[in-house]
Amino acid sequence: MINLQFFPSRQVAAYMARLFVVRSFAVLFALVIVLMTLDLLGNSGKILAYPGNGDAELWRYVGLRAPQLVARFLPFAVLLGTLITLVTLNQHSEIITMKAAGISAHQIIAPLILAGLFIAALNFAFNERVVTRANRALNAWEGVDYGPLPPERHVQGNVRVQHGEDLIFVRQVAGRGDAIRLAGITIYDRTGGTMRTILEAERGARSGTGWELTNVRLFHVDTGRTSRMARARLGETLRPEQFTLATVDPDEQDFWQLRRSIDQLELVGRPTSTVEAGLWHKISGPLSTVLMPLLGAIAAFGLARSGQLFMRAIIGMSLGFAYFVADNFALAMGNFGAYPPFLAAWGPFLLFLLIGEAVLIRTEE
């Protein structure tokens, strides 16, 4: 049963929630279509540049890129859906009718907040089951310039590792443990801060306690001499997890997998603040859809004939955009270590929750 002390009548709540959900997903569909078209126009040349790629690879790119666009722009679509719904209800004097019937501002917004919570749950499940896999597959595909991928399940692209003073760049890392495979390896050998040699290898694999590299090209910086070798062996102190944990991307792992990666990083003594901020943001990010009805509620109140309805809609949109800016800024500060992980993920959400509630209370008064 719907709590009539918090919600309006069952019919009114269902009516407003339906308008809100339909308009939000309609806006999302239009945004994804437009943005996907522009994105495909910008990247189709790179995809087709690889020999043998054709229409199938373009559709594959669409299938991997579209979930990213859906997850990124869903909160923005919910904000626009909120504004469209409330402005329409205000123009048709339906808000005035509800207030005249004794329904408070909180009761008017409550069905939208409940629907936003439902959308947030869908968004979280979609991110966990679809978006993380799409991110991982697309990043790995971009790492091989849209060419064929190896059959291993665990693939990472553009991995960077610091081993002592040496810098190691790997174009692609596939597999786990002793079954790990490296492709496109570049090692910058430094001694005392001075570059000594640059080693490039086509492929590398774990061999015993070390690594075996194939098709090796070695450049000596001091003499300018280049030598080539069919095989080379190095790095007995270099562990496989240094490659698999080198780039822990929160966007490529679900919540529980990321939690395990954080535990592994802590075991090897690696900093985890950036990854922990991404972990918390997996919850606070989808919940932003709950904030949008609260931030856009200012567009619902005030007489439409007063001429201020457009200005109220602009204010509601500005509050929503301000939240997105604050959220990205806080995450950036968390990545730099300036903000604690919890504050970086939840700070903007809690701040704009208070702002939206203050605006709604002021409107109701």
Side-chain angles (χ1 to χ4, degrees):
M1 295 291 293
I2 294 179
N3 185 357
L4 298 180
Q5 294 181 352
F6 186 72
F7 293 94
S9 68
R10 183 190 300 270
Q11 291 79 9
V12 173
Y15 170 69
M16 294 188 64
R18 184 176 67 252
L19 289 179
F20 168 67
V21 171
V22 170
R23 281 160 172 74
S24 297
F25 280 101
V27 171
L28 178 64
F29 179 78
L31 282 175
V32 171
I33 289 295
V34 173
L35 294 173
M36 188 69 253
T37 302
L38 296 175
D39 187 89
L40 187 61
L41 289 174
N43 291 282
S44 58
K46 300 177 183 177
I47 299 171
L48 297 176
Y50 193 90
N53 283 357
D55 291 343
E57 283 69 28
L58 292 178
W59 284 111
R60 180 187 180 188
Y61 178 81
V62 171
L64 295 175
R65 182 63 172 147
Q68 297 181 351
L69 297 177
V70 170
R72 181 173 300 177
F73 290 97
L74 179 58
F76 178 68
V78 171
L79 173 64
L80 293 181
T82 299
L83 295 175
I84 294 172
T85 300
L86 296 180
V87 167
T88 302
L89 293 175
N90 197 342
Q91 284 182 325
H92 295 165
S93 300
E94 294 175 84
I95 298 292
I96 299 298
T97 302
M98 285 187 276
K99 290 184 69 69
I103 301 176
S104 68
H106 282 85
Q107 288 177 314
I108 294 173
I109 300 301
L112 276 63
I113 294 178
L114 182 62
L117 187 61
F118 174 74
I119 295 175
L122 289 179
N123 190 16
F124 177 80
F126 183 72
N127 287 342
E128 293 292 285
R129 301 299 299 174
V130 178
V131 178
T132 54
R133 298 178 181 181
N135 288 337
R136 188 162 55 246
L138 184 57
N139 290 339
W141 196 27
E142 289 176 344
V144 294
D145 298 326
Y146 303 104
L149 288 171
E152 289 90 347
R153 287 183 55 194
H154 304 286
V155 178
Q156 298 182 50
N158 300 321
V159 174
R160 299 169 177 83
V161 175
Q162 182 169 356
H163 183 61
E165 291 188 276
D166 300 341
L167 298 177
I168 304 174
F169 295 85
V170 183
R171 182 166 53 86
Q172 184 184 94
V173 176
R176 291 288 187 271
D178 290 337
I180 194 170
R181 297 290 184 271
L182 310 179
I185 308 159
T186 304
I187 302 176
Y188 296 92
D189 181 15
R190 300 188 301 176
T191 302
T194 302
M195 186 77 65
R196 298 298 183 185
T197 60
I198 300 176
L199 184 147
E200 296 179 350
E202 182 178 344
R203 300 198 175 275
R206 188 73 171 165
S207 176
T209 59
W211 299 83
E212 185 174 299
L213 308 181
T214 58
N215 294 333
V216 179
R217 175 181 176 271
L218 185 62
F219 175 74
H220 299 269
V221 176
D222 53 351
T223 63
R225 183 172 56 86
T226 301
S227 58
R228 296 183 179 274
M229 297 172 285
R231 297 183 181 276
R233 186 177 176 83
L234 55 86
E236 293 190 357
T237 60
L238 193 61
R239 302 186 306 274
E241 56 267 22
Q242 291 182 258
F243 293 101
T244 55
L245 294 177
T247 55
V248 178
D249 190 349
D251 293 333
E252 296 183 5
Q253 300 184 10
D254 60 42
F255 185 87
W256 299 111
Q257 183 181 4
L258 186 58
R259 179 69 264 179
R260 290 191 296 270
S261 296
I262 291 175
D263 294 337
Q264 293 175 3
L265 288 173
E266 291 175 347
L267 288 176
V268 298
R270 296 276 300 279
T272 61
S273 58
T274 300
V275 186
E276 287 181 4
L279 180 73
W280 285 115
H281 196 261
K282 285 183 175 292
I283 300 176
S284 64
L287 278 178
S288 62
T289 56
V290 179
L291 277 182
M292 297 303 111
L294 201 59
L295 297 178
I298 190 173
F301 307 104
L303 294 176
R305 290 172 294 180
S306 65
Q308 297 182 354
L309 182 58
F310 179 74
M311 184 58 63
R312 285 176 173 270
I314 294 296
I315 294 174
M317 185 176 295
S318 300
L319 287 174
F321 275 114
Y323 167 75
F324 296 134
V325 172
D327 185 51
N328 291 329
F329 176 79
L331 280 179
M333 291 296 99
N335 291 337
F336 284 119
Y339 286 0
F342 185 86
L343 179 62
W346 286 101
F349 179 87
L350 297 176
L351 173 63
F352 279 84
L353 178 64
L354 296 176
I355 292 175
E357 184 63 24
V359 171
L360 189 59
I361 292 175
R362 178 66 177 174
T363 300
E364 194 164 18
E365 291 179 352

